[in-house]
Amino acid sequence: MLRSVMAVVIAVPLGLDLYIPAPENNPLVRTRIEAGRRLFHDRRLSRDQSMACASCHDPARAFSTAKPISVGVFGRQGTRNVPALINRGYGRAFFWDARVATLEEQVLRPIQDPDEMDLTLSEATTRIGLSADELSLALASYVRSILSGNAPFDRYMNGERQALSAEQQRGLTLFRTKGNCVSCHVGPNFTDERLHNTGIAWRPSGGPGPAGRYLDDGRFAVTRAEQDRGRFKTPTLREVSRTSPYMHDGSKATLEEVVTFYDEGGRPNPNLDIEIRPLGLTPAERRALVGFLQSLSGRVHR
Amino acid sequence: MVTLRHAAARALAGALLVSSLSAQSTVQSDRQFQAALQKETVDGNLNGAIAEYAAIAARPGVSRELASQALLRMAEAYRKLGDPQAIVVYGRLVREFPDQRQVAETARTRLGDQEASTTRTGPSLRRVHSGADIITVSPDARWAVFNEFNPAANGVTGADLVLLDMRTGTRRVLDRHRGTGEYVEGDAVFSPDGSQVAYHMALADNENNHEIRIVPIDGKSPPRVVYQSKRSNHQYVFVMGWTPDGRRLLISPELADQTWQLSMVWIADGTVQVIKSFGWAQVHAALSPDGRYIAYATPVRDDDVTRDLFVLAVDGSQDVPLVQHPAHDSDPLWSADGTHVLFRSNRQRTSSLWAIPVKNGRPAGEATLVKNDVPIGRQLGPRQPATVARSGALYYTVSPRRQNVYHVALGGDGKAVGEPRIVTNHEVNNDCCAAISPDGRRLAYYSRSPRVLVIRELNTGNEREFQLGLEITFMLATGPQWFPDSQSVLVHGGVPQRGGNRQYRVDLATGRATLLPTTGVHVHSRMTPDARAILVGPYALAWHDLATREVTTLKQEVAGTQYFSPTVSPDGNKVSYWQFRAGKPGASQIVVVSRTGADARVVCECEFAGSYNPSNVVAWMPDQQHLVFSDAKGTLWRIPVAGGAREPLGVTIPPRIQGLSVQPDGRGIYFTVMDGSSPSELWALEDYLPGASKQ
């Protein structure tokens, strides 16, 4: 019943699409995935050789980190939370502000970011003896191979009715109905890969003067379109119980806090998404939702 | 893209006209030529352009240079249409315009191409059946299946799966559901050997369960279930293909979050493998004859429902764009030999059939027109609109469905004055659901397929078409509704980035559609005249406040009872609705109640047939003293709100009148006549692919 199918070279776990998008020039092949895995753990790719990709994207934490905000070489502080690198092969937009459209481009950015690994591409390629293309293709292939599925939720969806507890089943129903979570967290990967303003970056003024401000402009920094202020990409909910803290700024430490934030209607601001509104959940309903979210953790294949 | 096309048209016009602007040419001819070019290259209106070119060539005193250019463009337009008249025009150019060397040479070359391409017999079209609304035919075209709705039994209908012998015309029920509330839906596929049918059932349980069943056509064993939406926690499913080894079915389930997938289900054990997940738009898909590829159509942008075509490998190894064009390209089918993907396109405004060669799951050439005006009548979308038999013949059903917007004047006594007349012709027999604006100056209605919003100025007859980028929902004549400013309308619809049936406010000045903060609003709903709330049926009746998002129940959900066609009085203080209690013959009533739910009064024990859910069939007269409504026989009635006998308006147009909209001055009423009573026809198109071999 728990059929997994080999899609060319990797086993696709239950619940995920057999088709994993990959560019024509970077088909999924074992050798490149393996090369990418080695590079992912290679500390030479950081200025002081103290950090590898895996330093922030910890495989033990579903390729995320426990810190609210990323910390790069020499202890430099980033500005956003480290996203979990799971099922990114199905992604269509990368980084919290969706500024990059391909994994091949995405994987090179942290290496070159002064607040992360702080190398020029030229320095990086010289250190590892690969071309920029080879580095990009290999890292992207490895990231593409990091899959999370076969969670209790997936087994439940495939007819194993005991896979979710009664409370989790109630949570699933709430997730789809009263909670309105499926306005954004849809499909097998629980993300629409789009950007929304939940108000998480908004700070009301609390008095006379400006009505408020965004601590992080989000997508606006890419498009300069006013309606994009405060919009961030919907993250996957796969493995969500292992990827705290939450939100683009790591400001929510627990799933309970996240659910409460949405239950209260996010944070009203000029660009608040039309789908965000007070939910009126009872404490039991909040617990059920959290319980359901915990059912989305399965096995991370890498 | 439009900009590029405009630029291309201008460049083409400039190049062609440089030499033709002789002293003899008139400014008028030049303008007409440019207009014709615009029609041909920008608007895609080839027939219109042909008429213009013909007029230019026939204009007295036109230069030979311009006449030849016009004829050449005319021939090119015919060629694009696949019309053999192209040969005639090219021949005329060669014979009559040898002095226009470049034109004559082009015509000579084209003539050679055309003659070479028309040595074949050419497409042939024949009607093979009339009566049933055929879903699909068997690979050998001997058999066909259709779903047949049963008469209501205690108000509960059902739909059977029926097998039709195309040779003898005899029929046999393969799966019977008389009065069970269970329906065979409109999607089914034959097994590769033609011995079985896989089909889609909607069950009557409370969980809205859908099944895929398989039944042998010899009737020697009962249907068996191979897929249940309930088991997979899905809420809907389409069956789309059967692998040549007979072991798997291609299905498209709708998840509970209203997104869609393409999956394979193993017939032996019901295991489902998801191949690819999509967003909120249904997927049109077809399995290749060798079972290796799926051609599918899906919207490519978040803000546009226009579709492109792709080919996805069943093993998940590739997903390749097949047709990328600004037009709406949809409903892919594979040719019998797997060398082409056929698809429908609106790139010539009407529904036309195109083909693109495919090799190894990739495009192997340009898309070409197979046949213009292919009026495939089955419901569009994931349901297979047609079937390609093993012989290569394309079988498609034409449902002579007619929808037209009528108007009838009303006298002081409320009776009709004169005969009703059709008042729109945006697309003949395809206009519906008109609503007159509060200021009485404009009419909003839907037209064409896919649906577009049309605004008609009633004093001039001028019309404006709005391509909203929405998949407009118009089921049961749920048309646009006006906001009180008469400058914007509410439409029900969906877009790729938002799930389900949603409501949008369309600003007619900008054409922009803005999502309204509504959830759970069914098409059985009506906005209040002040646009502050929407009254929503049919299982309960509730106010959805558009500002506060609060939902206030007016009528609680009661098992077996539904509230159709809710309507709010002009002053917003009263509500009417059509109450239907399933399983109780005659228990169908029009009820008037105050806005708060008090003072409920049955104003009419008016039966409607249990075979449809009436929507927008009750309307308030401006005096608020009367309601008008239509019954299931296509008769309009007036009835006093305070109680009393109903009176006929003197209008009966069977089979059904829906979409009532009363003029603000009460002197007339607009309505839609929905006529699907003519029998469906099954047509076969043969020899339509010159390069495709028959199997």
Side-chain angles (χ1 to χ4, degrees):
Chain A
M1 191 60 67
L2 303 179
R3 187 189 297 258
S4 288
V5 177
M6 292 295 291
V8 188
V9 293
I10 56 177
V12 177
L14 183 72
L16 302 185
D17 289 4
L18 187 59
Y19 169 66
I20 302 173
E24 294 267 325
N25 69 340
N26 196 21
L28 278 174
V29 292
R30 285 183 199 283
T31 50
R32 201 172 273 160
I33 292 171
E34 184 53 31
R37 191 190 66 76
R38 286 195 299 270
L39 290 165
F40 195 82
H41 292 82
D42 194 331
R43 294 174 185 272
R44 290 177 297 165
L45 287 173
S46 60
R47 169 70 59 199
D48 59 1
Q49 305 201 32
S50 66
M51 299 186 69
C53 304
S55 303
C56 289
H57 298 284
D58 180 1
R61 292 183 56 85
F63 292 80
S64 69
T65 184
K67 299 183 179 75
I69 300 295
S70 63
V71 177
V73 291
F74 310 117
R76 292 172 187 162
Q77 286 282 325
T79 57
R80 293 173 181 163
N81 183 247
V82 175
L85 280 190
I86 46 173
N87 298 345
R88 293 315 299 147
Y90 300 103
R92 294 199 307 266
F94 303 91
F95 294 112
W96 282 103
D97 52 15
R99 62 183 181 270
V100 164
T102 68
L103 261 182
E104 278 67 18
E105 189 180 353
Q106 186 275 325
V107 293
L108 297 181
R109 294 291 185 95
I111 296 171
Q112 301 169 86
D113 188 326
D115 289 334
E116 296 189 47
M117 299 163 91
D118 191 30
L119 282 186
T120 66
L121 206 48
S122 165
E123 288 171 327
T125 55
T126 302
R127 284 190 182 188
I128 58 174
L130 293 173
S131 71
D133 271 355
E134 289 167 333
L135 174 62
S136 159
L137 299 181
L139 276 173
S141 291
Y142 175 61
V143 173
R144 209 165 263 128
S145 75
I146 301 169
L147 300 175
S148 167
N150 199 12
F153 165 77
D154 301 300
R155 296 195 290 276
Y156 178 80
M157 292 290 284
N158 275 267
E160 194 181 321
R161 284 294 174 258
Q162 305 308 314
L164 294 188
S165 68
E167 183 179 60
Q168 287 173 324
Q169 291 183 36
R170 283 197 300 278
L172 170 58
T173 301
L174 289 164
F175 187 83
R176 294 166 170 168
T177 54
K178 188 176 179 181
N180 200 28
C181 311
V182 292
S183 288
C184 303
H185 294 285
V186 293
N189 211 21
F190 293 89
T191 170
D192 59 0
E193 293 287 325
R194 296 183 174 94
L195 296 104
H196 301 276
N197 178 321
T198 65
I200 191 71
W202 176 256
R203 294 295 178 274
S205 68
R213 65 192 176 94
Y214 295 101
L215 292 183
D216 185 333
D217 280 332
R219 179 68 176 169
F220 173 84
V222 180
T223 65
R224 297 286 157 190
E226 203 53 46
Q227 69 268 24
D228 283 339
R229 275 194 203 275
R231 293 175 73 204
F232 296 89
K233 188 164 67 68
T234 310
T236 179
L237 296 181
R238 290 279 182 184
E239 303 292 335
V240 70
S241 63
R242 299 166 59 195
T243 61
S244 63
Y246 305 106
M247 309 297 195
H248 75 279
D249 55 1
S251 61
K252 302 297 177 194
T254 65
L255 287 174
E256 286 78 3
E257 287 181 37
V258 174
V259 170
T260 298
F261 174 78
Y262 286 116
D263 185 27
E264 292 171 349
R267 200 168 287 145
N269 72 94
N271 292 337
L272 185 67
D273 193 282
I274 198 167
E275 304 286 1
I276 305 293
R277 59 178 180 272
L279 302 172
L281 299 174
T282 66
E285 288 173 332
R286 291 186 195 182
R287 282 195 300 275
L289 265 177
V290 170
F292 167 68
L293 292 172
Q294 288 167 340
S295 79
L296 301 178
S297 291
R299 180 175 164 227
V300 179
H301 299 245
R302 55 185 188 270
Chain B
M1 186 55 73
V2 171
T3 304
L4 288 174
R5 292 172 70 188
H6 275 279
R10 284 198 202 100
L12 183 56
L16 292 173
L17 285 176
V18 164
S19 59
S20 66
L21 290 174
S22 66
Q24 298 174 44
S25 299
T26 64
V27 172
Q28 197 177 5
S29 296
D30 294 343
R31 284 183 180 159
Q32 192 174 3
F33 186 78
Q34 289 200 50
L37 270 174
Q38 171 91 4
K39 270 190 184 159
E40 179 197 342
T41 59
V42 178
D43 303 340
N45 179 2
L46 295 178
N47 286 315
I50 286 168
E52 298 262 359
Y53 290 134
I56 294 167
R59 185 186 295 279
V62 69
S63 72
R64 287 181 60 76
E65 200 167 9
L66 185 57
S68 68
Q69 294 286 4
L71 287 171
L72 181 61
R73 296 310 314 165
M74 181 166 71
E76 293 285 285
Y78 274 128
R79 189 175 69 88
K80 287 178 193 170
L81 286 171
D83 192 322
Q85 185 67 16
I87 297 173
V88 175
V89 183
Y90 285 131
R92 182 180 166 194
L93 283 166
V94 171
R95 285 193 312 276
E96 298 179 14
F97 293 88
D99 55 320
Q100 304 299 317
R101 286 186 184 173
Q102 203 166 351
V103 170
E105 183 57 34
T106 302
R108 199 171 289 111
T109 304
R110 290 289 198 214
L111 204 51
D113 295 344
Q114 287 285 310
E115 285 171 348
S117 69
T118 52
T119 50
R120 66 192 176 93
T121 311
S124 66
L125 187 62
R126 61 191 171 91
R127 192 178 69 181
V128 294
H129 175 75
S130 177
D133 193 10
I134 300 295
I135 299 173
T136 188
V137 301
S138 61
D140 61 3
R142 165 77 191 273
W143 309 97
V145 290
F146 61 94
N147 56 341
E148 184 170 63
F149 283 75
N150 290 314
N154 292 331
V156 181
T157 56
D160 302 337
L161 180 72
V162 183
L163 180 75
L164 175 72
D165 186 334
M166 303 266 278
R167 207 175 287 169
T168 65
T170 56
R171 38 176 287 168
R172 179 158 40 87
V173 175
L174 294 176
D175 194 359
R176 187 180 299 279
H177 298 278
R178 183 171 295 275
T180 61
E182 299 185 335
Y183 298 85
V184 171
E185 295 271 18
D187 43 315
V189 291
F190 273 90
S191 60
D193 65 2
S195 66
Q196 302 176 85
V197 181
Y199 59 101
H200 171 189
M201 281 293 308
L203 302 190
D205 58 20
N206 291 330
E207 298 180 72
N208 195 28
N209 195 14
H210 291 258
E211 292 181 349
I212 303 297
R213 297 181 180 181
I214 289 178
V215 64
I217 66 169
D218 62 10
K220 289 184 176 172
S221 55
R224 70 185 178 97
V225 177
V226 296
Y227 167 89
Q228 290 179 301
S229 65
K230 182 171 60 178
R231 179 180 176 277
S232 296
N233 237 272
H234 298 152
Q235 60 180 24
Y236 203 79
V237 68
F238 292 102
V239 60
M240 297 171 155
W242 203 318
T243 55
D245 62 7
R247 297 171 61 196
R248 292 177 293 167
L249 298 173
L250 172 64
I251 62 172
S252 183
E254 182 187 20
L255 277 59
D257 60 20
Q258 299 180 315
T259 61
W260 295 82
Q261 295 179 325
L262 285 175
S263 302
M264 284 288 183
V265 56
W266 270 261
I267 292 169
D269 63 4
T271 302
V272 176
Q273 171 66 58
V274 182
I275 302 173
K276 183 172 179 178
S277 298
F278 297 83
W280 284 283
Q282 293 177 345
V283 188
H284 308 175
L287 186 65
S288 64
D290 63 7
R292 294 173 61 204
Y293 300 105
I294 300 164
Y296 69 89
T298 190
V300 289
R301 286 178 24 188
D302 287 350
D303 57 353
D304 192 350
V305 293
T306 300
R307 291 168 186 258
D308 280 344
L309 296 172
F310 301 81
V311 176
L312 173 67
V314 169
D315 67 5
S317 59
Q318 68 177 48
D319 185 25
V320 177
L322 182 65
V323 175
Q324 294 178 294
H325 189 279
H328 181 68
D329 299 316
S330 63
D331 307 294
L333 288 164
W334 290 84
S335 63
D337 60 5
T339 61
H340 289 73
V341 168
L342 306 165
F343 62 98
R344 295 207 299 173
S345 178
N346 68 352
R347 56 185 73 182
Q348 290 182 305
R349 191 174 171 93
T350 58
S351 172
S352 53
L353 184 68
W354 292 67
I356 183 167
V358 179
K359 191 171 185 181
N360 297 325
R362 294 174 182 276
E366 294 295 315
T368 54
L369 178 68
V370 170
K371 189 177 183 318
N372 216 345
D373 292 324
V374 179
I376 297 173
R378 288 198 60 74
Q379 184 174 347
L380 304 186
R383 294 190 169 105
Q384 289 283 338
T387 311
V388 177
R390 199 178 292 132
S391 68
L394 172 73
Y395 289 83
Y396 62 91
T397 299
V398 175
S399 301
R401 188 176 295 118
R402 292 188 291 274
Q403 297 181 345
N404 288 297
V405 175
Y406 283 71
H407 175 265
V408 67
L410 299 178
D413 59 355
K415 297 288 181 66
V417 177
E419 291 296 311
R421 58 189 177 87
I422 295 176
V423 290
T424 65
N425 60 352
H426 197 76
E427 186 165 291
V428 175
N429 292 331
N430 205 11
D431 294 343
C432 85
C433 321
I436 188 167
S437 60
D439 63 9
R441 297 168 61 186
R442 296 198 274 187
L443 205 61
Y445 65 100
Y446 296 148
S447 184
R448 299 178 55 191
S449 302
R451 286 299 195 197
V452 295
L453 173 69
V454 180
I455 301 296
R456 182 183 182 88
E457 301 290 341
L458 288 171
N459 58 343
T460 65
N462 291 339
E463 293 192 332
R464 185 178 168 199
E465 183 179 299
F466 291 81
Q467 304 269 2
L468 300 177
L470 296 170
E471 209 151 68
I472 290 176
T473 307
F474 66 102
M475 60 181 291
L476 308 169
T478 304
Q481 297 170 51
W482 286 91
F483 281 82
D485 61 3
S486 290
Q487 304 299 317
S488 52
V489 295
L490 177 146
V491 299
H492 295 261
V495 291
Q497 79 272 32
R498 300 283 184 183
N501 177 55
R502 301 298 297 264
Q503 288 67 47
Y504 294 82
R505 181 174 187 160
V506 179
D507 182 331
L508 300 180
T510 63
R512 185 170 175 191
T514 304
L515 182 67
L516 295 175
T518 50
T519 51
V521 174
H522 195 274
V523 291
H524 288 288
S525 65
R526 211 68 195 159
M527 189 166 62
T528 55
D530 62 9
R532 290 186 177 173
I534 299 178
L535 182 60
V536 182
Y539 302 107
L541 210 50
W543 295 103
H544 289 232
D545 190 293
L546 286 172
T548 66
R549 300 185 178 197
E550 286 179 8
V551 177
T552 310
T553 301
L554 184 66
K555 295 287 292 182
Q556 296 282 353
E557 184 171 346
V558 177
T561 298
Q562 289 177 279
Y563 309 101
F564 297 120
S565 198
T567 318
V568 185
S569 63
D571 65 6
N573 291 328
K574 289 182 179 173
V575 165
S576 70
Y577 55 88
W578 204 317
Q579 181 171 275
F580 174 65
R581 288 175 288 180
K584 298 182 179 175
S588 160
Q589 305 161 328
I590 295 176
V591 180
V592 173
V593 65
S594 78
R595 183 189 175 91
T596 57
D599 304 326
R601 181 190 309 125
V602 175
V603 297
C604 184
E605 297 275 355
C606 305
E607 283 195 40
F608 62 86
S611 61
Y612 81 103
N613 303 328
S615 173
N616 200 9
V617 293
V618 181
W620 286 81
M621 291 298 289
D623 65 6
Q624 305 197 95
Q625 303 300 312
H626 295 85
L627 296 170
V628 290
F629 69 94
S630 61
D631 66 14
K633 295 175 182 170
T635 299
L636 285 179
W637 300 85
R638 189 174 84 140
I639 191 162
V641 173
R646 60 179 174 177
E647 301 173 290
L649 266 63
V651 174
T652 298
I653 308 179
R656 187 179 303 167
I657 290 176
Q658 288 185 272
L660 306 182
S661 178
V662 181
Q663 285 176 219
D665 60 8
R667 293 183 177 177
I669 183 167
Y670 292 88
F671 55 89
T672 298
V673 175
M674 313 193 63
D675 183 1
S677 59
S678 302
S680 294
E681 296 172 340
L682 184 68
W683 290 75
L685 181 66
E686 294 166 315
D687 297 320
Y688 51 87
L689 284 180
S693 59
K694 293 180 181 178
Q695 290 185 349

